[in-house]
Amino acid sequence: RKHTCMNINDVGVSGCTLTLVGNTTLRKTSPSVEYNTRLQKQSQKQKDFKTNISGISTPLILSETYGELFSFDMEYIDGKLFNETFHRISKYELDVYTNSILEYIQETKNKATDVYSTKQLQNIIVSKLESLRTYSQYQTFIDFVSEITVSTVLPEIEQSICHGDLTFSNILFSNQKLYLLDFLDSYIESYVMDIVKLRQDLKYNWYLNLLPTETHYITRIQQIFSYMLNHVEQRFPIVNSTLFDILDVV
């Protein structure tokens, strides 16, 4: 995902092709006709992105192309991923990044105009679990989670704009500013889903474990993750709820 070292026709995790056009434009192309709709939703989410938080932005969508394979052009951002940033980061910079993320999530929560009721959440989650069950080797566990879901009085949560995949693989760091990438449609559109994905990265080090990070920097990055995780959990107490545990599992 590091833009500064991008090759022509680099391929992302989703299979989309990323092409650097000149020095100012990045083109993202769908890997298949079937994926076109999801990429169109991603482009729309990126176009709709609005925030009053000065430390967070997203690359500007420049144009869209509706051919056999959908593609969109966006602003090129010269930035780095967290593993290339956190090993040299100052306490001041870390607090700037942490506060920007927390304020952005809080802002999306505050902008919510509707809520998911307990029944709505139960139906949506059970439906999602059923869709996963067919091809899963953990069917017994999925059935267990479904039972917990329908037997628990889940709290109402706000329906809000959310990134959909707010992990560190989708954040670029540039000049003390965060740029969000690769927005994703989510089975629950709520700020809570962004907390779920962010916390998974901070707690389980999933993306850190995939990157070629020098060994002597890993401990420092893990300490930074622990620091950020503590702030996330203090700011959003919903992380201590059964609902959050269910969403985390799903």
Side-chain angles (χ1 to χ4, degrees), residues 46 90 92 100 147 169 171 180 197 199 229 241-242 250:
Q46 196 163 329
S90 68
Y92 171 78
S100 292
E147 290 174 8
S169 63
I171 300 176
L180 305 185
K197 297 304 291 283
R199 183 174 176 271
L229 176 60
S241 67
T242 301
V250 178

Side-chain angles (χ1 to χ4, degrees), residues 45-61:
K45 266 195 168 184
Q46 196 163 329
K47 287 191 294 184
D48 291 343
F49 177 88
K50 292 182 178 64
T51 181
N52 293 319
I53 311 304
S54 59
I56 285 190
S57 187
T58 191
L60 179 67
I61 298 292

Side-chain angles (χ1 to χ4, degrees), residues 11 54 75 80 87 129 145 163 172 201 219 222 235:
V11 178
S54 59
E75 174 188 16
K80 297 181 179 180
H87 64 287
L129 287 167
V145 177
H163 178 281
L172 281 180
D201 244 4
T219 299
Q222 289 174 333
R235 182 68 172 266

